[in-house]
Amino acid sequence: MAPMPAGQANGAPAGVAAVLALSAAVGYLLAARRLRRRGDVWPGLRDASFTAGQVCLVAVALVPLPGGEFTAHMLQHLVIGMAAPLLLVLGRPVTLVLRALPTGPARRGLRATVRSLPVSWLVLPPVAAMLDVGGLWVLYRTRLFAHLHDQPWLHTAVYIHVLAAGLLFSFAVCQLEPVRHRYGLPLRAATLVAAATAHSVLAKSLYSASPPGTAFPGHDLARAAEAMYYGGDAVEIALAAALARQWYTVTGRCLSPARRGLQTG
């Protein structure tokens, strides 16, 4: 037993998810326009990134994905848990909302929440990685996955967790928002490497063994494992590029003209 392919299972929840994603994209763009109208700078690339992330979520909710049943599921997982979260986080939605909200209780409450101790612990990179990658190991290496087909509420809950954990991990690695404590680049880079390794090992394990309680055809299992392995690598390389850009911003531009002269002299 296994979940139905993307776009075919849980019609009502999928429709609700699509509406929520589109609403979030529209709200984001309206907030960005408000900033620009009052003369604030807000890069268009952030608009494009956040909107692309929401479009990805709409697509996997409504459009059947190619491949066998498990391959389609894995492509959905890659978008919901990895690609879309990174695109959404790069849009810096928390910063946008904080800047767009007028001074008052709502703005103070959001800032206090983002800078609270519980959030600070959640965005500790190793904790976020454990919730994200650890959740995938539980999903695919226990009988949990086999129960998703017959229990729609569990199916929906798992995908909410996959999206939330993916957002948390991208948030923790990128650290672009005004959180209470910004963890250093070495810790975030080491966490990314460890999480990528655990994700790759899980993907390789799927080549030889279906999730317990399931029996997918060999070709479907292999294509799903390849999608998880190579697709995960692509998103993790993008995360590494975001970290490298931050490292360059912190260190590369700190060279004074005098130091540059000494290095070239």
Side-chain angles (χ1 to χ4, degrees):
M1 292 182 291
M4 296 179 185
Q8 297 179 13
N10 301 329
V16 171
V19 170
L20 290 175
L22 287 174
S23 300
V26 171
Y28 181 101
L29 294 174
L30 290 175
R33 186 177 69 172
R34 178 179 180 180
L35 288 188
R36 295 188 181 103
R37 279 186 170 181
R38 73 186 189 195
D40 291 355
V41 175
W42 188 258
L45 283 176
R46 296 179 186 172
D47 295 7
S49 181
F50 189 86
T51 303
Q54 298 294 2
V55 169
C56 286
L57 293 177
V58 172
V60 297
L62 301 180
V63 179
L65 297 176
E69 191 171 16
F70 194 41
T71 302
H73 159 82
M74 194 57 69
L75 292 172
Q76 188 182 46
H77 146 72
L78 285 170
V79 174
I80 294 175
M82 300 188 75
L86 177 57
L87 289 168
L88 296 176
V89 166
L90 291 178
R92 302 185 66 174
V94 176
T95 298
L96 174 64
V97 173
L98 285 172
R99 290 177 60 180
L101 282 173
T103 302
R107 183 176 181 179
R108 289 194 298 270
L110 177 59
R111 184 179 295 276
T113 299
V114 173
R115 297 180 62 84
S116 66
L117 187 58
V119 170
S120 180
W121 277 105
L122 283 174
V123 298
L124 175 64
V127 172
M130 182 64 68
L131 292 173
D132 186 24
V133 183
L136 296 179
W137 276 86
V138 171
L139 176 61
Y140 295 119
R141 284 293 156 238
T142 70
R143 299 187 66 87
L144 175 62
F145 186 81
H147 295 308
L148 299 187
H149 183 78
D150 298 323
Q151 301 185 44
W153 67 269
L154 182 60
H155 187 280
T156 301
V158 165
Y159 279 107
I160 290 173
H161 169 81
V162 168
L163 175 60
L167 284 168
L168 184 62
F169 181 67
S170 294
F171 189 101
V173 170
C174 293
Q175 299 260 319
L176 297 173
E177 306 286 11
V179 292
R180 177 174 182 160
H181 179 72
R182 291 185 181 276
Y183 298 97
L185 284 168
L187 175 62
R188 288 186 277 148
T191 301
L192 176 58
V193 170
T197 301
H199 192 267
S200 296
V201 171
L202 176 59
K204 290 179 179 179
S205 75
L206 291 174
Y207 273 102
S208 57
S210 288
T214 67
F216 293 103
H219 67 278
D220 189 19
L221 192 63
R223 298 294 83 75
E226 289 171 358
M228 185 180 193
Y229 185 85
Y230 293 111
D233 279 355
V235 177
E236 286 149 6
I237 288 171
L239 274 167
L243 280 180
R245 185 177 185 276
Q246 291 182 36
W247 174 83
Y248 173 73
T249 301
V250 171
T251 62
R253 297 181 182 179
C254 291
L255 290 174
S256 65
R259 288 183 61 190
R260 290 175 184 165
L262 287 173
Q263 290 180 354
T264 58

